[in-house]
Amino acid sequence: MQESDAVPSTGRLIGEALDHWATHQGRFWMIAGPAGLVLTALSFAGPHISPLLFGGLEPVLDFRLVQSGIHVLLIALVLYQWFKYALYDDWSQRRRTLLGEDRFPWRAFVSGGFIAFWMLQWLLSTITFTLWGELVRSQMPSQEDLRQGAPITWLVHIPIGWIKEIALAALFGGFLLFLPARAVGISWGPGQAFHEAAGTRRQMIAIALFLTFLLFVSERALNIFETLVLPPHISGFAGLIILFASTLLLRVTELMTLYMLAHTVSRLFVLKTGWTPEPYPQPWTLDSTARE
């Protein structure tokens, strides 16, 4: 693989990603609009759909876990498309050509390794959160002790959710070249992706941490906004609309950070490997070849 001596700084990569996002609003909203609405609807409809679909399994299956898994899967499908757009200037045309083929082009929309890598983060996140919950419950005083004034364990006040996200960003950041490699059909394993990232691992970890922090700040700002805009007397349909809008804004912010992740990591992938897309035959070229 080809080494590059001119690897941009982390700040420059983030700036380029922001500029790219700002100048490609049509491409962004074409995917982020429907995806944001679906993810927001999933958050709101989940508690109502759960009894209908999983009523008999409620004692053994927490629908919040299923809901979280679906959320991560949808995010992975969106991120795969944005890696394609970041790596292929003519991805829309290539996808249309692939859709015209006789066989359904699964790799135009999904890669098993790509999805597995992204879902692994969710699996580790779920395990960590579950184990932490068990630890907190084991340290909580009994109901009788609480009635007698026993203090609640300090573990309850630790923001484990965001500590977990930061730890995962730091852990997986060095392996992120695996994603663009899978998006272009290079069959790297995580170990080889980590090896190929030599010289850029710190940048990728810094990018992952920055985007995680950006999402954290956005969520906190929206929580403060909801507290100020939703006083106790606002309820019913008006309150529901405001909550839906704020959740949608958070989901769009999440999608924006993933758009930036795809752009920055793809940039580092191209710089590190010297990869360029092969010319893709035009539909009329395929037709003429078939006739011959």
Side-chain angles (χ1 to χ4, degrees):
M1 293 294 179
Q2 171 181 314
E3 289 284 345
S4 173
D5 297 327
V7 178
S9 66
T10 303
R12 181 179 170 186
L13 287 168
I14 294 292
E16 288 179 357
L18 282 170
D19 290 340
H20 193 271
W21 172 80
T23 56
H24 291 78
Q25 290 297 294
R27 176 185 298 177
F28 175 77
W29 288 109
M30 179 181 66
I31 296 178
L37 288 171
V38 169
L39 292 170
T40 305
L42 180 65
S43 300
F44 274 77
H48 304 289
I49 296 175
S50 175
L52 298 176
L53 298 181
F54 303 95
L57 298 175
E58 285 287 347
V60 295
L61 179 63
D62 187 348
F63 181 72
R64 289 174 299 178
L65 184 63
V66 177
Q67 183 178 348
S68 175
I70 295 173
H71 178 100
V72 173
L73 178 60
L74 291 175
I75 286 293
L77 294 174
V78 170
L79 184 60
Y80 185 74
Q81 288 302 305
W82 280 339
F83 266 106
K84 290 285 194 179
Y85 275 116
L87 292 162
Y88 297 96
D89 292 335
D90 57 348
W91 173 240
S92 294
Q93 180 180 347
R94 288 173 181 257
R95 186 171 54 194
R96 283 195 299 270
T97 304
L98 289 170
L99 287 173
E101 296 179 353
D102 294 335
R103 293 186 306 169
F104 187 79
W106 291 106
R107 289 192 63 84
F109 298 97
V110 64
S111 162
F114 188 101
I115 299 296
F117 180 88
W118 203 252
M119 293 296 285
L120 177 60
Q121 299 180 72
W122 169 74
L123 180 61
L124 291 178
S125 173
T126 301
I127 292 172
T128 301
F129 202 75
T130 301
L131 292 176
W132 182 261
E134 291 298 326
L135 174 63
V136 171
R137 278 191 289 271
S138 69
Q139 299 299 314
M140 284 289 289
S142 66
Q143 292 295 328
E144 181 63 28
D145 292 336
L146 288 174
R147 283 193 290 269
Q148 294 178 4
I152 296 176
T153 175
W154 57 273
L155 295 173
V156 172
H157 304 292
I158 295 179
I160 186 61
W162 284 106
I163 292 176
K164 171 198 65 180
E165 293 300 325
I166 291 171
L168 287 174
L171 174 63
F172 281 88
F175 296 88
L176 285 176
L177 285 191
F178 179 84
L179 296 176
R182 286 290 173 164
V184 300
I186 298 176
S187 57
W188 286 354
Q192 186 171 357
F194 184 84
H195 173 74
E196 296 290 345
T200 59
R201 291 191 203 108
R202 290 184 181 180
Q203 285 176 297
M204 288 191 295
I205 292 172
I207 289 167
L209 290 173
F210 171 77
L211 295 178
T212 300
F213 175 75
L214 179 61
L215 191 57
F216 169 73
V217 170
S218 300
E219 183 173 338
R220 294 294 297 174
L222 282 173
N223 288 339
I224 294 172
F225 172 78
E226 290 175 4
T227 302
L228 297 176
V229 174
L230 279 176
H233 66 275
I234 296 182
S235 59
F237 186 72
L240 185 63
I241 290 297
I242 294 175
L243 285 174
F244 186 90
S246 63
T247 303
L248 177 59
L249 182 58
L250 182 60
R251 296 284 76 83
V252 170
T253 303
E254 180 182 13
L255 293 169
M256 185 192 76
T257 62
L258 293 171
Y259 186 95
M260 295 169 61
L261 177 70
H263 185 275
T264 52
V265 175
S266 295
R267 179 96 158 85
L268 290 174
F269 173 74
V270 171
L271 286 171
K272 285 293 294 179
T273 64
W275 176 88
T276 55
E278 295 181 359
Y280 199 77
Q282 302 298 329
W284 58 84
T285 305
L286 294 174
D287 292 340
S288 61
T289 302
R291 285 194 298 270
E292 292 174 1

